[in-house]
Amino acid sequence: MNKTRVKLMGLVLVALMIAALFAGCGSPGTTQNPDATGTPTTEDDPGATSTPGQQLHWPAGVDTKSLQGKKITIYTDGEVPTDETTRAYRMREDFTQKFGVTFEHVATGGDEDGWMTKLALLVATNAGPTICDNDNSVMPLTAARGLVQPIDQWVNPQDTILMTDIMDAYSWNGNRYCLQYRSWLTFRSIIYSLNAIEQAGLENPLEIWKNGGWSWDKLFELSKEFFQKDAAGAYTSYGCTFDNVDIGFALALNSAEFYKPDGNGSFKMNTEDKAVQEILTALHDANQRGDIMYRAETKQAEVAKGTVKMFGQIFERAERMLALPEAKESGNLMQSVPMPTGPSASENQLYGTVPWFKMIGANSPNPDAGYLWVWYNGDQFDPEPREGDPPKKTREEEIADKPEHVQEMNRIFDKIKEEGTFVVAPNVEGVPGFSELFNEMCNKVYRDKGSLSQTLTELAPRMQAALDSLTSYDKVTINKIGTPKLPETGVAAFEKVDASDMTADGGKLTITLNKGEDDWADVAAVKIAGDYFFPALNYYQVTFDYTVTSGFAGLENGSISYGLKSKEGKVLGAATLWGEYEAAGTMDNEGKLMIVDAKDEDGAYFFIDFGVDFSADGTNGEPVIIEITNFSITAAK
């Protein structure tokens, strides 16, 4: 039996989106099916799987009889599986047949702010999804805000397939929120030009790693050989380039806790720690000497063509880069090696990232069904083969289809996933404001080659304040704004700002836009008055119907903005849409509007701005008249 161990480090890292919720190659195991009493049964050992030394056990407290007729709502932008030959489709079909559970998808708000904004609105209105699908950049903020719920009650301590130590690392206030399997892990690697190494007569980094001699000092020694400039002083060749992401990995691989749990549910800065100082100083000194180079961005093409000889990358992305067309065209044969560890780390550790979180939404009506589905997708089960299916390849057969130099790295990667020691930690992206401060530190120390000690002294208090902010969040609740309505008569609830003409009648607001001096309409800013209270962080969904009744058939080259302003007119949060709009339609920001800096703003008001380009096709310079109806606001605080 292979002995495995997981180490927890406090720090940092980048989000890696490598898998959709239902993806995964799947490894064959003994399938467990519930019997009539809801108890899992197997033909052999109930805990047996195909992974040596690891066992799979049914989730605690899940009664499969109670799942009949339940629905799992999945909050993701991932594609709904429709191909009946894929594992993703078969797994869903198999799950529905076994447990009587159906599925529904809810599209997210898109970007990170939109994702959390819409989730807050769903939770606040008691419509929280069963499963939230996102990367580690949303933790621990989602937990601190009460947008997801703990999963501890379903975790079976006997289930050694689960990596509970890694789940602990992404916990909040003593509770686990994310499910994690060893099969979902990856690690940071260094891509390098094998051609350049051989032509320079240097030792192959992968061979050095195999022999146990791979270190940061060895990487610095190789890298410095490849920095070259032309007569004008411009670089024509680079050794190893690194960025903020690599610095975060380097900290973790040195057993360095940049910040660590404070025992009270949050974290405290740890920049005076010997291991932290050691690795940051080693990178700083190598950068100062010119052995490596800090660059905010290294382009993939630079690595593929061999201009950059060494570069850090996640293994899966590194594997794809090893076979890029640009590399083939330039004759640059690339190879990959795990990122160095140490100097304090005593073992050849590997940074295990958590690429994609599966969490249970707060207020979900069927959390046990959601947990079972995520658990069921842990690469432990495979759907039954069907007639006409292509023969399933073994892992070795899959590897054999790859180029020879890529085959070797895949075999090393598989061995690492089975036997490696992983270090993992909370992601700074999940602490509001922290990643910006971490990037500021990297820029000052490495890009600008400033003082490490002075920079840490300056930024550590601000970083601590960002960490402390996690404990200040209240659980998300509905803000009782209700649904403001247009006035029955008159314009008492509205204030003209720049509109040429504006009237409100019978719950309908009419705005007239006149051509301005530069062919752009005077923007009509509709001020929706009211006595509102806006906490420090609010999420708003704004919906209204509009109709262009005169002027031209649509809002070509127009703009529609809406949001919140202070009484002085400062925009506290807004959404702006540009483009071509039909003559009539519904505007719905789908909860993407987030107010971030309004606290107790007296006189704060919602606004709607329309703009029209009178030089666009279809206009003749005549005023454009727009009617707004069915205006509503939903807010969560």
Side-chain angles (χ1 to χ4, degrees):
M1 181 175 74
N2 294 312
K3 182 179 180 181
T4 61
R5 182 162 61 87
V6 177
K7 286 193 174 181
L8 303 179
M9 303 292 119
L11 171 55
V12 3
L13 244 272
V14 54
L16 170 65
M17 295 181 174
I18 62 170
L21 177 63
F22 309 113
C25 60
S27 55
T30 303
T31 303
Q32 299 183 7
N33 298 316
D35 62 16
T37 65
T39 305
T41 62
T42 60
E43 296 178 359
D44 303 306
D45 180 359
T49 71
S50 60
T51 308
Q54 298 178 341
Q55 290 188 324
L56 181 69
H57 288 269
W58 199 256
V62 175
D63 178 7
T64 57
K65 291 188 300 182
S66 68
L67 302 183
Q68 288 288 332
K70 287 188 176 181
K71 180 173 66 176
I72 293 177
T73 305
I74 300 172
Y75 182 63
T76 179
D77 274 336
E79 294 183 3
V80 179
T82 56
D83 185 348
E84 297 183 9
T85 66
T86 62
R87 179 181 184 271
Y89 185 93
R90 297 273 183 85
M91 285 292 292
R92 176 179 292 208
E93 188 177 58
D94 183 61
F95 193 81
T96 297
Q97 290 176 352
K98 281 185 171 68
F99 307 113
V101 175
T102 57
F103 294 87
E104 178 185 4
H105 273 242
V106 175
T108 71
D111 59 18
E112 209 65 83
D113 287 344
W115 185 92
M116 199 170 300
T117 298
K118 187 171 181 179
L119 178 59
L121 287 164
L122 291 170
V123 169
T125 53
N126 291 316
T130 316
I131 296 171
C132 305
D133 192 13
N134 209 318
D135 60 85
N136 53 353
S137 66
V138 301
M139 279 292 291
L141 183 56
T142 45
R145 299 225 67 214
L147 302 179
V148 291
Q149 60 180 288
I151 61 172
D152 304 81
Q153 60 180 307
W154 300 293
V155 176
N156 191 325
Q158 296 177 296
D159 190 354
T160 56
I161 292 295
L162 292 178
M163 299 191 74
T164 52
D165 284 342
I166 286 184
M167 292 159 61
D168 288 341
Y170 286 91
S171 64
W172 169 250
N173 206 16
N175 294 313
R176 297 169 178 152
Y177 288 84
C178 312
L179 201 63
Q180 183 62 39
Y181 291 94
R182 176 168 288 271
S183 59
W184 294 349
L185 296 176
T186 186
F187 65 91
R188 191 75 168 177
S189 65
I190 300 291
I191 305 172
Y192 61 93
S193 170
L194 186 58
N195 292 9
I197 290 290
E198 292 176 345
Q199 290 169 10
L202 301 173
E203 190 175 357
N204 187 339
L206 187 56
E207 295 304 316
I208 300 174
W209 180 82
K210 289 178 182 177
N211 295 327
W214 186 232
S215 66
W216 283 107
D217 285 340
K218 182 60 71 173
L219 184 149
F220 300 154
E221 179 184 323
L222 297 175
S223 169
K224 67 182 180 182
E225 299 294 329
F226 299 112
F227 287 102
Q228 297 177 6
K229 297 181 180 180
D230 60 19
Y235 279 97
T236 58
S237 173
Y238 298 87
C240 184
T241 63
F242 70 105
D243 59 17
N244 301 356
V245 176
D246 295 305
I247 293 169
F249 277 111
L251 280 158
L253 289 168
N254 195 44
S255 301
E257 296 180 275
F258 194 70
Y259 66 80
K260 61 183 182 180
D262 65 358
N264 297 312
S266 189
F267 307 94
K268 62 181 179 180
M269 292 301 298
N270 192 41
T271 53
E272 298 300 319
D273 180 69
K274 174 180 177 293
V276 172
Q277 291 283 334
E278 187 175 48
I279 190 61
L280 292 180
T281 300
L283 293 172
H284 173 270
D285 292 350
N287 186 52
Q288 295 276 23
R289 294 192 304 267
D291 295 350
I292 57 176
M293 179 183 288
Y294 178 87
R295 294 179 84 197
E297 180 184 14
T298 294
K299 298 184 184 302
Q300 178 175 284
E302 293 180 298
V303 182
K305 294 178 181 179
T307 306
V308 174
K309 303 299 189 293
M310 309 180 86
F311 174 68
Q313 188 55 275
I314 296 294
F315 170 76
E316 286 81 3
R317 293 177 183 169
E319 179 191 7
R320 292 196 295 270
M321 289 183 68
L322 262 54
L324 285 174
E326 299 101 309
K328 186 175 181 180
E329 291 172 6
S330 63
N332 179 36
L333 183 64
M334 292 186 290
Q335 188 52 281
S336 180
V337 63
M339 180 176 272
T341 60
S344 280
S346 58
E347 302 175 34
N348 194 17
Q349 297 175 358
L350 299 162
Y351 193 91
T353 67
V354 181
W356 199 257
F357 278 154
K358 287 81 176 172
M359 300 170 288
I360 308 298
N363 296 343
S364 167
N366 303 313
D368 52 348
Y371 182 90
L372 182 62
W373 170 243
V374 177
W375 176 87
Y376 199 72
N377 270 265
D379 291 349
Q380 314 308 322
F381 301 103
D382 272 330
E384 294 294 327
R386 298 181 184 178
E387 185 177 352
D389 284 355
K392 183 177 179 180
K393 292 184 178 181
T394 65
R395 173 60 175 159
E396 185 55 39
E397 288 172 335
E398 291 176 350
I399 292 175
D401 290 339
K402 302 175 183 290
E404 186 174 347
H405 68 301
V406 180
Q407 289 183 29
E408 182 172 25
M409 276 310 298
N410 272 267
R411 293 188 179 96
I412 290 173
F413 179 46
D414 287 353
K415 185 174 179 63
I416 286 169
K417 287 179 72 173
E418 184 177 337
E419 301 178 0
T421 299
F422 285 82
V423 287
V424 69
N427 189 312
V428 296
E429 296 289 339
V431 180
F434 196 96
S435 61
E436 291 81 359
L437 292 169
F438 185 79
N439 293 345
E440 183 178 343
M441 177 201 76
C442 295
N443 289 336
K444 288 184 175 181
V445 174
Y446 300 102
R447 183 194 64 193
D448 304 335
K449 299 187 176 182
S451 166
L452 174 62
S453 60
Q454 183 178 337
T455 301
L456 288 178
T457 299
E458 173 193 346
L459 294 181
R462 293 164 58 191
M463 290 179 169
Q464 185 61 58
L467 294 171
D468 291 342
S469 72
L470 285 170
T471 60
S472 66
Y473 290 108
D474 295 325
K475 301 302 182 186
V476 171
T477 57
I478 191 68
N479 192 9
K480 300 298 183 181
I481 288 179
T483 55
K485 296 180 179 180
L486 297 173
E488 293 298 323
T489 59
V491 293
F494 302 91
E495 176 181 317
K496 290 191 290 185
V497 178
D498 290 323
S500 302
D501 180 52
M502 180 163 47
T503 60
D505 182 29
K508 177 175 64 179
L509 177 69
T510 302
I511 302 173
T512 302
L513 296 171
N514 292 312
K515 178 180 177 180
E517 293 181 1
D518 57 356
D519 287 335
W520 187 263
D522 290 331
V523 174
V526 181
K527 180 175 180 179
I528 302 169
D531 183 17
Y532 303 132
F533 168 68
F534 301 100
L537 194 61
N538 260 247
Y539 306 94
Y540 296 96
Q541 185 157 0
V542 180
T543 305
F544 57 88
D545 295 332
Y546 74 92
T547 303
V548 180
T549 61
S550 177
F552 69 108
L555 296 175
E556 295 186 38
N557 295 332
S559 68
I560 303 177
S561 299
Y562 40 88
L564 182 73
K565 289 184 180 180
S566 69
K567 62 181 179 182
E568 293 82 15
K570 175 187 175 184
V571 176
L572 304 171
T576 301
L577 303 173
W578 295 88
E580 298 181 9
Y581 301 99
E582 300 297 328
T586 297
M587 286 293 131
D588 184 353
N589 71 321
E590 297 182 342
K592 296 179 182 178
L593 177 63
M594 181 168 69
I595 312 302
V596 295
D597 57 357
K599 295 186 179 178
D600 297 314
E601 289 281 357
D602 273 341
Y605 61 91
F606 277 95
F607 69 90
I608 308 174
D609 288 351
F610 283 91
V612 176
D613 181 0
F614 279 86
S615 67
D617 293 338
T619 62
N620 57 11
E622 296 297 319
V624 173
I625 301 175
I626 302 172
E627 293 180 350
I628 300 174
T629 56
N630 301 322
F631 179 80
S632 69
I633 301 170
T634 304
K637 67 178 181 180

